Amino acid sequence: MTDGQRRALGGLPPGARIRSLGHAGYEIEHAGVRLLIDPWFHPAFLASWFPFPDNRPLLASVAAASYDLLYLSHEHEDHFDAHTLGMLDRDATTVVVPRFRSKSLVRRVTQLGFRNVVALGHRERYEAADGFVLTMLLDTSHKEDSGLVVDLGGFRFLDLNDCNTPMSELPTDVDVLSAQYSGAMWYPNCYAYPDEVQRKKTAEIRGDLFDTLVRKVRLTGAAAYLPAAGPPCFLDPELERFNDRSATIFPVWDDLADDFAAACPDVAAVLLEPGDALTADGVAESADPARGTWRDSPQAYLAAYRERRAEEWGAYHDEAFEAVSAEELDAYFGKLTSWNKRFLADYQRDVRLVADGHTWSVRLAQVGGALEEDPVDAGYTIHVPSRALRAIVDGRIGWEEALLSLRLSLHRDPDVFDLTLMSLLRYGNHPAQTMQMVRERAEAASGESIERCGYSFQRFCPHAGEDLALADIDGEVLECPRHHWKWDLRTGECVSGGTVPLRVDAAQPG
Ligand code: FES
């Protein structure tokens, strides 16, 4: 425990405790209230992600505990672990969830048997007890994710996990911030790039993630930062390459600690191992004899972990399944495109799907779905294992989860992000989200403008709604602080990241 850490935690009320459960999971106790956050213990995304370090030794105590409150930030399986949730006392626990446009999260919580569910909108508060207050923060774009401010007698813990609340909406008086620092995406590591291109793109994304983290830390005024919400590890030998911490977007905190100390010298970074807890006296370390042993020999640690969970990752390969037929695939895309008719509007591209030797061209331009033998204009080719395609077509998972499994590989030509296609795949099974994108497009055409550096342009990023009031402007190029897309402010043309233009108003500097 350093002096900086001690100072940063000094305001935590006596008796209060913030205990890490690994990944984005926490258990917080204060004022007689016990809150559980995003407990994740079982494999996610087609049995590909596992918590790192292994947190399973904590599961029995979590399942046996009684919680007054449970907060679930969003539906991704590394936050919404249905297996673990099914082990909790569902009568005694009040579940606090974000109020998303799609009602899916509330529905799933209710289906699990929880009776008391409180859905909070952006900035809405829930007072659990005197001195224990929760405030919900949403990603206010079409994306459905949330963070939570937990006020413990004036000490403010902000759990941002992997949520991107617009930066201008973040609280500025935070004591401890918990947020993601590593990637949680399939880009670029699942794309078929030559090695040198892959290295360059990986380095860019790692740099962007770090920059975004530093901005969040500075904006929130946090005195201490808890690295959290990743990276996971991948125990299926098929996915071994994603455990390479230097060649992927999944670094461990030790890789970034020095850069962080240089960028934020007054902020105490406190890496909690599963079971460690913050208290007013400092960090109370877990008594688990395996605590921190992953550092001794990461490869040996992962080999032993893989062995312990062989049945769990092996289940993906063992499950019997039937390959998807052309008729089923046609019906699937027919439904997806008809649900998203307004979103697709005049979209004209095809996507080529390759599943274990079968190739299909899906004509997304034709609402109702149509498969062709030969692609006409397939900008994207997606290789998907047949068993994953079966799970998608049966509705057991969406494309978002399949992509996050890293079991798919992609190729695109030209090498440009296709926002419509990827949004259709990621959000199309929740049309409330794609309809919000339709509204965002309309707002982009006529919504709020801001003036900066002599330019007038739309205030919220046309990619995913970040507040461009905080964007960097270098000459005539604007860079969004969230995913670092860039636009030419003279024309509105997107010059890096994607193809979606920025609305630039007529009045320009003289
Ligand atoms: S929100 Fe993604 S680049 Fe702006």
Side-chain angles (χ1 to χ4, degrees):
M1 184 78 180
T2 65
D3 286 348
Q5 290 172 349
R6 207 166 280 118
R7 267 197 308 279
L9 303 177
L12 201 58
R17 200 171 76 126
I18 301 173
R19 180 185 185 225
S20 168
L21 301 176
H23 200 66
Y26 289 99
E27 187 186 75
I28 300 182
E29 291 179 63
H30 173 60
V33 176
R34 194 184 257 190
L35 163 68
L36 177 64
I37 293 178
D38 282 350
W40 178 44
F41 294 96
H42 299 94
F45 310 123
L46 297 173
S48 62
W49 291 36
F50 283 77
F52 180 82
D54 186 5
N55 62 354
R56 194 68 65 86
L58 298 173
L59 176 59
S61 70
V62 169
S66 98
Y67 294 98
D68 304 286
L69 298 171
L70 164 68
Y71 162 59
L72 298 170
S73 61
H74 61 298
E75 279 192 78
H76 278 167
E77 293 167 13
D78 55 324
H79 300 261
F80 188 106
D81 174 356
H83 191 159
T84 297
L85 299 179
M87 300 166 93
L88 302 177
D89 179 347
R90 281 153 284 171
D91 290 327
T93 309
T94 296
V95 188
V96 177
V97 292
R99 196 170 60 240
F100 293 140
R101 285 182 191 84
S102 77
K103 305 287 181 284
S104 161
L105 180 53
V106 172
R107 202 164 40 239
R108 291 185 64 198
V109 168
T110 310
Q111 279 166 357
L112 280 170
F114 289 97
R115 299 216 209 127
N116 306 314
V117 182
V118 177
L120 300 177
H122 183 51
R123 289 180 174 277
E124 285 182 2
R125 286 158 46 98
Y126 180 83
E127 186 163 352
D130 195 19
F132 199 123
V133 181
L134 311 180
T135 305
M136 185 67 67
L137 298 176
L138 297 190
D139 180 332
T140 50
S141 74
H142 55 274
K143 293 192 177 175
E144 300 204 328
D145 203 345
S146 73
L148 192 74
V149 181
V150 185
D151 192 314
L152 304 167
F155 184 92
R156 286 161 70 81
F157 171 69
L158 171 56
D159 167 29
L160 267 190
N161 60 81
D162 53 16
C163 174
N164 279 308
T165 296
M167 292 186 189
S168 55
E169 295 283 307
L170 292 176
T172 54
D173 53 355
V174 166
D175 292 291
V176 174
L177 168 69
S178 171
Q180 187 177 54
Y181 64 91
S182 69
M185 284 292 282
W186 50 92
Y187 177 85
N189 297 134
C190 287
Y191 277 76
Y193 290 125
D195 290 350
E196 193 45 44
V197 176
Q198 182 64 257
R199 265 193 290 278
K200 189 165 166 279
K201 287 179 180 281
T202 299
E204 278 169 11
I205 294 292
R206 286 170 68 124
D208 289 349
L209 288 166
F210 185 75
D211 177 85
T212 303
L213 169 66
V214 168
R215 285 171 192 266
K216 287 176 178 173
V217 170
R218 289 181 180 156
L219 284 167
T220 55
Y225 164 64
L226 309 183
C233 63
F234 306 93
L235 299 184
D236 186 339
E238 254 184 18
L239 302 170
E240 171 61 26
R241 66 188 182 285
F242 298 114
N243 293 315
D244 184 334
R245 303 303 185 187
S246 59
T248 62
I249 60 165
F250 306 110
V252 289
W253 180 248
D254 294 9
D255 301 331
L256 307 180
D258 288 346
D259 289 343
F260 183 83
C264 302
D266 299 326
V267 179
V270 186
L271 181 64
L272 296 179
E273 298 282 335
D276 288 356
L278 298 182
T279 70
D281 299 324
V283 177
E285 290 186 356
S286 153
D288 183 348
R291 180 189 182 279
T293 53
W294 60 270
R295 279 199 180 83
D296 302 339
S297 168
Q299 289 211 331
Y301 180 89
L302 279 181
Y305 193 1
R306 173 176 298 127
E307 191 66 34
R308 290 196 296 280
R309 301 283 175 267
E311 209 173 302
E312 296 179 21
W313 57 260
Y316 167 76
H317 298 283
D318 294 343
E319 194 187 351
F321 76 101
E322 267 184 44
V324 169
S325 68
E327 292 72 29
E328 286 178 293
L329 199 60
D330 195 34
Y332 170 83
F333 276 103
K335 199 158 59 173
L336 190 68
T337 49
S338 65
W339 280 352
N340 295 279
K341 219 180 287 188
R342 283 190 59 197
F343 174 67
L344 286 172
D346 52 0
Y347 186 76
Q348 292 295 331
R349 308 296 298 274
D350 291 2
V351 57
R352 182 192 286 122
L353 287 184
V354 183
D356 298 345
H358 284 93
T359 301
W360 292 286
S361 174
V362 182
R363 315 213 61 195
L364 296 172
Q366 194 169 317
V367 171
L371 300 183
E372 298 284 334
E373 289 294 323
D374 297 313
V376 182
D377 176 23
Y380 272 60
T381 300
I382 303 178
H383 292 255
V384 49
S386 281
R387 57 178 70 244
L389 191 59
R390 165 53 66 194
I392 294 168
V393 166
D394 287 353
R396 281 182 283 135
I397 58 168
W399 283 95
E400 170 94 344
E401 290 74 23
L403 288 160
L404 281 168
S405 77
L406 310 188
R407 295 185 184 278
L408 279 55
S409 65
L410 303 94
H411 173 78
R412 62 190 186 194
D413 183 15
D415 183 21
V416 177
F417 178 64
D418 185 328
L419 182 62
T420 303
L421 170 64
M422 295 314 284
S423 301
L424 175 77
L425 295 180
R426 296 177 67 183
Y427 314 126
N429 51 350
H430 288 153
Q433 283 179 266
T434 49
M435 273 313 293
Q436 174 59 16
M437 293 187 77
V438 172
R439 282 189 284 274
E440 287 167 7
R441 282 179 192 156
E443 278 165 26
S446 60
E448 188 178 348
S449 295
I450 48 169
E451 282 187 30
R452 293 190 52 206
C453 302
Y455 292 97
S456 173
F457 50 88
Q458 71 183 77
R459 176 165 175 187
F460 295 101
C461 179
H463 172 220
E466 184 53 73
D467 189 344
L468 298 178
L470 298 172
D472 288 340
I473 296 178
D474 183 5
E476 33 309 305
V477 176
L478 173 142
E479 179 174 339
C480 175
R482 191 187 299 183
H483 302 107
H484 303 273
W485 288 23
K486 294 179 183 170
W487 288 267
D488 186 326
L489 285 171
R490 294 167 301 185
T491 60
E493 184 194 358
C494 186
V495 293
S496 174
T499 53
V500 189
L502 180 79
R503 191 195 78 233
V504 178
D505 301 326
Q508 296 298 322

